[in-house]
């Protein structure tokens, strides 16, 4: 038996060439008395000579090849342009491909290939084989594959599908230095493929951030299917991570993105004020502000926790009114020595006089802020004339002209949030409160004439139900310091409620207890029908408050007194 090897050496000759009939030549050589090995050599040299001379060749019958063809296979006459010219096919080599991005098994275990891979890869562009087995892990299809210089490309059908970013969900709880488990940490989303793409292999993957990434591989079905991008790696940091999702579809698609929220480490919060009955400060159990803050649905380590945090340790020394020297020493120790992450001040801690220990308290708070401590104030700052807010903010801003003034209104005043500010407070994780309203509780709100170039003002001292507040309408009643970790709202009753384990805020009055939540989920909700006048409003105290607490936790983690340098 003669085995025929054809070597093609193209000289680029473009003129018409004689017919080259491989069958006749083979029959002729077989009729000679040459030994089998000499017959093979003779045929090989003859073909090489003919191809070198002509540059183009037809195999299968005596016919001139098309001018653009280097090699043409045919064994029947073509009666119409584009019609059949053969009743047999080309038998490609059957190869078991093992790696998407390498010439394996052709050059596997070849040291020269390993050392000069890029060069060899480019030399083999256009190499065609029939892959004998599908390999989803390597995205290698069964069937005809061509090497493009970087990877094997499947020719049986095109990978075409669309992604639905609206169905994207991130699953799992992500903790620092804890390896991802692909059965728990993954991204799911829907993709849709047409009939002609059925059976081709999809590949979706993300970029790698902080040591973790996500990837999905599989076979397309006709229609819509849910794919799972499995997570891998171990995150080292606690920053939230925004991943882009890349796909191998030829169909134009918008790139989907996925946000992985890391669990913040445990935070410690010093709470100063009165937690009794109404929960003016979140100091103890069975008051609304505390229960909302400690709910795992709001701040916790559940899959659906709005803010992921290991724990918020509440330190509540029950210091209210004007603290004594001993109580000031307790506060100083927590802020200066123990360096708690957050200091919460509410109804109603007084620091208004020039007593030495109260001066020390105010200065300690200033020092704490300058050391990147986080201070949250929902603070009426009594007494309302020459009171605590005035004394503290004069020390903080080094400005003796600062004054505090109560908004001249009665219980149930209504204030608006700015509608032109977008930040962690106005568009925080618990909801968008731009342009929304909040309600004053039971008495009055306190405005403070702080330097407006140094703060972001959320609310002005303008009760929308009152036309007699001109003296405070241009003064902030809610603001965030631009360079220090401080948020202030001038109402100690901002988070006031009557807690019920089954009914939420059981106080339905329109002028007190404006802090509401869903009793089933503990998520913050607006309180309806609130306000001192005949017209009633939905007030969003609990949403604003929860956004502020989320801001405090993030600031403490990333820009706080205990943040590593």
């Amino acid at each position: 038996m003669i085995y025929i090897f054809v070597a093609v050496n193209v000289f680029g000759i473009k003129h018409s060439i004689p017919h080259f009939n491989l069958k006749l030549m083979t029959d002729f050589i077989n009729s000679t008395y040459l030994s089998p090995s000499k017959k093979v050599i003779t045929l090989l040299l003859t073909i090489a000579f003919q191809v070198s001379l002509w540059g183009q060749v037809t195999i299968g019958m005596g016919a001139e090849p098309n001018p653009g063809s280097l090699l043409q296979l045919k064994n029947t006459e073509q009666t119409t342009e584009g019609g059949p010219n053969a009743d047999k096919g080309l038998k490609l080599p059957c190869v078991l491909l093992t790696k998407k991005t390498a010439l394996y098994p052709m050059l596997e275990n070849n040291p020269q290939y390993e050392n000069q891979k890029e060069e060899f890869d480019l030399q083999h562009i256009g190499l065609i084989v029939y892959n004998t087995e599908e390999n989803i892990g390597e995205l290698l299809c069964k069937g005809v594959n061509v090497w493009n210089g970087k990877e094997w490309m499947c020719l049986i059908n095109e990978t075409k599908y669309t992604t639905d970013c609206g169905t994207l969900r991130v699953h799992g709880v992500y903790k620092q230095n804890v390896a991802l488990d692909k059965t728990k940490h993954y991204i799911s989303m829907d993709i849709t493929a047409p009939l002609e793409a059925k059976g081709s292999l999809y590949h979706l993957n993300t970029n790698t951030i902080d040591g973790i990434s996500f990837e999905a591989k599989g076979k397309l079905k006709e229609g819509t299917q849910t794919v799972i991008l499995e997570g891998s790696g171990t995150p080292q940091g606690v920053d939230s991570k925004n991943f882009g999702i890349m796909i191998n579809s030829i169909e134009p698609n918008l790139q989907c993105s996925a946000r992985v929220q890391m669990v913040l480490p445990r935070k410690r919060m010093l709470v100063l004020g009165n937690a009794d009955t109404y929960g003016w400060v979140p100091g103890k159990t069975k008051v609304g502000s505390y229960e909302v803050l400690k709910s795992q649905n709001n701040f916790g380590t559940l899959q659906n926790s709005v803010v992921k945090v290991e724990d918020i340790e509440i330190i509540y020394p029950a210091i209210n009114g004007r603290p004594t020297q001993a109580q000031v020493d307790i506060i100083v120790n927590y802020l200066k020595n123990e360096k708690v992450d957050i200091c919460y001040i509410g109804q109603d801690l007084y620091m208004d006089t020039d007593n030495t220990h109260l001066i020390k308290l105010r200065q300690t708070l200033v020092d704490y802020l300058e050391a990147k401590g986080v201070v949250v104030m929902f603070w009426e700052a009594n007494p309302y004339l020459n009171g605590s807010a005035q004394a503290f903010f004069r020390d903080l801003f080094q400005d003796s002209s600062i004054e505090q003034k109560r908004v001249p209104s009665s219980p149930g005043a209504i204030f608006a949030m700015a509608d032109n500010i977008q930040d962690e407070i106005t568009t925080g994780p618990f909801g968008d409160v731009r342009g929304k309203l909040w309600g004053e509780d039971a008495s009055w709100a306190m405005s403070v004439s702080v330097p407006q170039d140094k703060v972001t003002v959320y609310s002005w001292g303008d009760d929308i139900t009152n036309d007699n507040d001109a003296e405070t309408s241009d003064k902030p009643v809610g603001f965030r310091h631009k360079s220090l970790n401080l948020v202030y709202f001038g109402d100690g009753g901002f988070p006031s409620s009557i807690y019920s384990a089954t009914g939420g805020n059981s106080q339905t009055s329109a002028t007190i207890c404006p802090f509401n939540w869903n009793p089933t989920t503990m998520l913050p909700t607006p309180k309806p029908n609130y306000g001192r006048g005949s017209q009633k409003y939905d007030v969003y105290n609990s949403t604003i408050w929860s956004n502020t607490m989320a801001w405090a936790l993030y600031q403490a983690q990333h820009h706080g007194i205990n943040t590593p340098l």
Side-chain angles (χ1 to χ4, degrees), residues 201 213 236 247 268 286 429 440 476 480:
L201 303 180
S213 60
Q236 304 299 312
I247 65 174
R268 304 175 72 219
K286 297 183 180 179
E440 185 277 329
R480 173 177 54 83

Side-chain angles (χ1 to χ4, degrees), residues 341-344 368-369 372-376 485 551-552 555-556 559-560:
D341 299 290
I342 303 166
C343 178
Y344 185 106
Y368 176 74
L369 281 165
K372 297 186 179 181
V374 178
V375 175
V376 173
N485 295 325
W551 166 86
Q555 289 299 109
H559 309 286

Side-chain angles (χ1 to χ4, degrees), residues 371-486:
K372 297 186 179 181
V374 178
V375 175
V376 173
M377 291 177 162
F378 288 91
W379 192 37
E380 215 149 288
N382 281 319
Y384 67 85
L385 291 176
N386 303 316
S388 299
Q390 179 171 295
F392 170 70
F393 286 117
R394 283 182 176 183
D395 288 352
L396 178 66
F397 289 100
Q398 293 293 292
D399 184 348
S400 60
S401 68
I402 291 175
E403 294 182 341
Q404 70 174 64
K405 286 185 180 294
R406 67 171 180 170
V407 179
S409 186
S410 55
I414 301 294
F415 298 91
M417 291 288 288
D419 60 5
N420 61 344
I421 296 172
Q422 182 175 349
D423 66 6
E424 301 91 332
I425 307 296
T426 59
T427 57
F430 291 92
D432 187 337
V433 295
R434 289 174 294 180
K436 296 292 194 296
L437 307 174
W438 59 269
E440 185 277 329
D441 168 64
S443 56
W444 55 76
M446 193 67 68
S447 69
V448 188
S449 61
V450 294
Q452 294 178 15
D453 61 327
K454 296 182 180 179
V455 299
T456 297
V457 179
Y458 297 124
S459 294
W460 301 93
D462 181 14
D463 172 13
I464 67 171
T465 69
N466 179 16
D467 294 329
N468 299 315
D469 53 12
E471 62 178 331
T472 60
S473 60
D474 62 346
K475 296 177 176 59
V477 74
F479 61 84
R480 173 177 54 83
H481 199 290
K482 288 184 176 179
S483 59
L484 301 176
N485 295 325
L486 169 70

Side-chain angles (χ1 to χ4, degrees), residues 67 176 250 347:
Q176 184 180 23
I250 65 169
Q347 174 75 16

Side-chain angles (χ1 to χ4, degrees), residues 218-236:
K219 187 179 293 187
L220 285 173
K221 303 175 183 178
E222 180 190 1
T224 299
Q225 66 190 98
T226 300
V227 297
I228 303 298
L229 288 79
E230 298 174 343
S232 62
T234 302
Q236 304 299 312

